[in-house]
Amino acid sequence: MSRSLWRHRDFMVLWSGRTLSETGDAISLLAIPLLAVTVLEASALEVGVLTATRMVAYLLISLPAGVWVDRWPKRTLMIICHLLRAGLVATVAVGAWSGWVTMAQLWIVALLSGVCTVLYETAHHSLVPTLVPAEQLLDANGKMSTTYSVSMIAGYSVGGALISVMGVARTVGLDALAYLGNAFSLLLIRRDEPARAVTRDRHFRRELAEGLSFVFRHPIMPRLVAAAATLNLFSQMIFALSVLYLVRVLQLSEGQVALTLALITIGGVSGGLVSGRLARVVGSARIIWAAPLGLGWLVLLVPASQPGWGMATYTLGMAALSALFAIYNAASISYRQRVCPPELLGRMTASVRWVIFGVMPLGALLGGALGSWIGVRPTLWIAAAGVWASGLWVLLSPLRRMRDLPADTAEKRNEEAIHVG
């Protein structure tokens, strides 16, 4: 019987540090688009490009990132990434405070921060299975999903208040401090990482191909990747236009925008908290397609929203999307971690994220382009329908006939790796 994760010191250190940095992320995700829309008067296309540049790194470097993560110490890489992200965000704060910030600067910072994010997230997902026993991965990933949503609530709520009191520049600067705090927390983890397999004949392309081969020759994983990619593509169209839609279509104030975004994340908190229990009740295989098909139709409330009462319907639709992400991610990430051999974790994670996050800048650009061409609301109708349809990939797969995902011999190998050194 494994000890509770609440008493697992290293996991709690990792979890708390991540919570701090994600709270800072939420502040920037609110403040920087508001800076673009309200101060720089950005168009729908420019806002879409801003979102896309933050995500394009997933498409460009996810695959090599997996090889690097499997070769290098994961915690060291995560610390370096946080220090670099702190410096990049600080340049936006200084630029906004001095009055010379431009859209070009925001795009460059978003791009470089995205590179750091790709490396950090790939290392993080590969580090968790080395700290947590295999049978507790679903619980751990559910807690991480909950953390993300709680951090969004705290970040948006606090960010909205701070923007009103301190202004955008000082508010963005707080994100840099959050990154520094997380970098320090990573130094407090005691467990050494499992020894990496050292081969004399290392070949970058071959190592990269091994990760891709494992993912796309697996009997189940390609369907999971397709479902997640579809979900990310269409949801990113919604996210790219969110601030613009709330400010210019639903006519909300900056404070109301912050409150709305904070309320939305309650769905993610609820989804993360119940993800493990739902997986046991509904089935760890069924929940992967039941989440998007069961909750996705509520996202149609987003384009249906109108000025006045629209804040409530928009919040409900987006909260459903937030819950969908938390439930789906906890189940699908846990499955990938369980079936993958430890020596391939970084490359497997990078291969999956190359696809499912690689479509996100395309979604943001598509959302911005369509928003400028056919209008924001028609674009959101298309995106909401696409979110619901993402579950069909899994429903029309062998998982439809399964209640729970099958165990794999890689799970035993994972357990052995956890207890090395």
Side-chain angles (χ1 to χ4, degrees), residues 2 11 25 41 50 77 103 115 123 141 145 151 167 181 185 188 205 251 269 287 372 383-384 403:
S2 299
F11 174 76
D25 277 343
E41 298 182 350
L50 178 61
L77 182 61
M103 283 302 302
V115 172
N141 287 312
S145 295
S151 300
S185 72
L188 303 179
R205 289 185 180 180
Q251 300 173 9
V269 174
I287 198 65
S372 296
R403 183 187 187 281

Side-chain angles (χ1 to χ4, degrees), residues 11 48 63 82 100 142 151 169 210 266 280 347 359 411-412:
F11 174 76
L63 291 178
H82 269 327
W100 52 256
S151 300
E210 286 172 353
I266 292 175
R280 290 189 292 271
R347 282 166 286 171
V359 301
E411 180 176 351
K412 295 181 178 178

Side-chain angles (χ1 to χ4, degrees), residues 140-195:
N141 287 312
K143 284 180 168 57
M144 291 290 182
S145 295
T146 303
T147 292
Y148 176 80
S149 300
V150 171
S151 300
M152 294 297 106
I153 292 175
Y156 288 144
S157 302
V158 173
L162 291 176
I163 288 171
S164 300
V165 175
M166 300 171 53
V168 173
R170 293 185 179 88
T171 301
V172 172
L174 292 177
D175 194 12
L177 296 178
Y179 287 136
L180 293 176
N182 194 0
F184 174 75
S185 72
L186 290 169
L187 296 173
L188 303 179
I189 295 176
R190 292 174 180 171
R191 179 183 288 275
D192 294 330
E193 295 179 31

Side-chain angles (χ1 to χ4, degrees), residues 82-101:
H82 269 327
L83 295 177
L84 292 174
R85 290 165 86 181
L88 289 167
V89 171
T91 67
V92 176
V94 172
W97 178 74
S98 62
W100 52 256
V101 67

